[in-house]
Amino acid sequence: MLLSYVGALPLKGSDAKLLAMVVAIRAARGGIGNLTGQDVRSLRLADPEGAVTALAPLGWQGQEALLGEDLVTPVGVAVPDLTGRPDSPLPFGKVMRSRVSGWTVRTMSAKPVKKTSAAARLAALFLAAHGPADDCGTLPGHLPDECRAALPELLGKGFLRELDGDRYLLADAVRHLSGMRPPADTPSGAVDGPEAEPVTWDRWKDGVSVALRRHVEAVECCPQCSLPTARVSEAFMRKPVPAQFEDKVRRAFGVWEATYPDQGPVAAEFASAFRAAHGHGPSVKQLCTALGWGKMSRELRIYVIRRLIAEGWLMNTDPVPWTLRPGKAAQVGASGRKGPADTSVRPR
């Protein structure tokens, strides 16, 4: 339904159609889809400005604001066709919209697809939606021409196992995505087989605030991090456990501090640059690894970051992952002032 709707839009080029698909998913229930500049950037379009501009002749409104320098403020894009009328081309309820959104994210984030062209990623959505898991499928008649041209790319990347004329076979690694277009075969709330975890993940995301969901999707869809969905979902959904630091961790920190002195400004600068490039903060491990702090246990990494937070060089939105950013000590700039004198670390 979604792909048929997008395929029928009078748009030229896969960039515009891929952007239109994301807007349509978010606008399906009320006619207004909220996106940020970072959402557009995460799609890795060859011509994002051209894609945004192409939506205007459709009668869609508000998308021009996505081209500004502000990458984090949500922009409401009005889609007159999707105003919640009974005859809406996408009559999605809350659960259905969440399932469609989750399936779309998982398909475009699949390893064989992540680093392909926009045309190949759009083609992957069409083929996954219409292809059976255990047999050859037939290319859908409404597959856009630019997607047909990108099929050899999907074959070369391992998304397709076979491609012969209009017949294709999904590769083993992506067969779990087959036929996941609405309406779903599994009743709401059912848990069955390997899709139990992704369905639970979608429902978790559907229940969080708009701001948190935006952050979650920035991490999940980050083309530079290319994180597995299972890792992202586990990090966000696990219950926070207060950290307990044994004496050996404190001793190890003393050794680390002597080996890598005055790391606060460096950590703050890296966190700032990372956020600018990725649209989200680094994880604890990403920061420690990138700064070349040597082999560290998980407990030591956490302890080091807690110390830097206590000193004011870093801050985060605990316990939400991937939220590290420069702290107050870094924000005072060249004054050289450090953070609070009390640098004790208390488990949170």
Side-chain angles (χ1 to χ4, degrees), residues 124-149:
L125 291 170
F126 276 90
L127 300 191
H130 293 278
D134 301 317
D135 198 358
C136 287
T138 302
L139 296 180
H142 57 292
L143 181 68
D145 291 341
E146 60 269 27
C147 292
R148 286 179 178 270

Side-chain angles (χ1 to χ4, degrees), residues 10 17 70 88 137 184 196 221 241 259 267 308 310 344:
K17 291 176 182 177
D70 186 351
S88 171
C221 302
V241 178
T259 307
L308 293 175
S344 60

Side-chain angles (χ1 to χ4, degrees), residues 8 44 102 112 121 266 286 291 303:
R44 295 183 290 111
R121 280 176 280 145
V266 178
Q286 284 174 321
L291 293 183
Y303 190 81

Side-chain angles (χ1 to χ4, degrees), residues 6-342:
V6 173
L9 293 174
L11 292 170
K12 293 183 179 180
S14 52
D15 278 1
K17 291 176 182 177
L18 199 59
L19 177 60
M21 183 195 64
V22 174
V23 175
I25 291 174
R26 301 192 183 189
R29 297 190 65 218
I32 296 180
N34 291 315
L35 283 83
T36 66
Q38 182 58 41
D39 291 329
V40 177
R41 176 179 290 186
S42 68
L43 289 175
R44 295 183 290 111
L45 306 177
D47 181 14
E49 183 174 354
V52 171
T53 303
L55 302 183
L58 302 179
W60 297 13
Q61 302 172 350
Q63 63 273 4
E64 297 83 2
L66 292 169
L67 297 175
E69 295 182 359
D70 186 351
L71 298 179
V72 297
T73 302
V75 174
V77 180
V79 183
D81 290 346
L82 306 177
T83 56
R85 303 189 310 267
D87 60 343
S88 171
L90 299 178
F92 292 165
K94 184 176 181 180
V95 173
M96 188 66 72
R97 194 214 66 82
S98 179
R99 287 181 176 177
V100 172
S101 178
W103 172 80
T104 302
V105 169
R106 288 195 298 275
T107 302
M108 290 199 296
S109 299
K111 188 174 181 180
V113 183
K114 278 184 179 180
K115 298 183 180 181
T116 58
S117 64
R121 280 176 280 145
L122 188 61
L125 291 170
F126 276 90
L127 300 191
H130 293 278
D134 301 317
D135 198 358
C136 287
T138 302
L139 296 180
H142 57 292
L143 181 68
D145 291 341
E146 60 269 27
C147 292
R148 286 179 178 270
L151 295 181
E153 185 179 357
L154 290 180
L155 182 64
K157 291 290 186 178
F159 184 85
L160 296 178
R161 182 176 175 180
E162 297 178 14
L163 178 62
D164 183 10
D166 282 350
R167 302 284 288 172
Y168 69 95
L169 180 65
L170 296 173
D172 293 345
V174 296
R175 287 187 180 183
H176 63 286
L177 299 169
S178 168
M180 293 176 63
R181 62 191 186 281
D185 295 331
T186 306
S188 177
V191 178
D192 182 22
E195 288 308 310
E197 188 276 331
V199 170
T200 302
W201 174 227
D202 288 341
R203 290 177 181 170
W204 182 90
K205 289 191 292 185
D206 201 48
V208 302
S209 68
V210 173
L212 179 54
R213 172 127 190 179
R214 190 162 59 245
H215 171 63
V216 168
E217 293 183 345
V219 175
E220 189 175 23
C221 302
C222 179
Q224 299 188 61
C225 292
S226 297
L227 298 168
T229 298
R231 178 183 169 188
V232 177
S233 62
E234 192 276 334
F236 278 98
M237 295 173 65
R238 67 187 173 203
K239 294 182 179 179
V241 178
Q244 301 294 330
F245 301 108
E246 300 179 359
D247 288 342
K248 66 178 182 179
V249 176
R250 301 176 190 275
R251 291 194 296 269
F253 172 76
V255 175
W256 174 88
E257 189 175 34
T259 307
Y260 305 98
D262 302 322
Q263 293 296 294
V266 178
E269 183 178 358
F270 172 79
S272 177
F274 189 100
R275 291 181 68 85
H278 293 245
H280 61 83
S283 68
V284 170
K285 185 176 181 179
Q286 284 174 321
L287 188 147
C288 294
T289 301
L291 293 183
W293 288 344
K295 187 176 181 180
M296 305 171 70
S297 67
R298 180 176 181 274
E299 292 76 12
L300 178 57
R301 288 197 301 265
I302 293 174
Y303 190 81
V304 167
I305 298 303
R306 294 284 177 88
R307 288 292 294 254
L308 293 175
I309 290 174
E311 292 173 0
W313 291 113
L314 295 174
M315 60 189 300
N316 67 350
T317 307
D318 199 28
V320 182
W322 287 284
T323 56
L324 285 173
R325 54 194 181 274
K328 292 182 178 179
Q331 295 167 9
V332 300
S335 67
R337 291 166 48 201
K338 289 193 175 183
D342 178 10

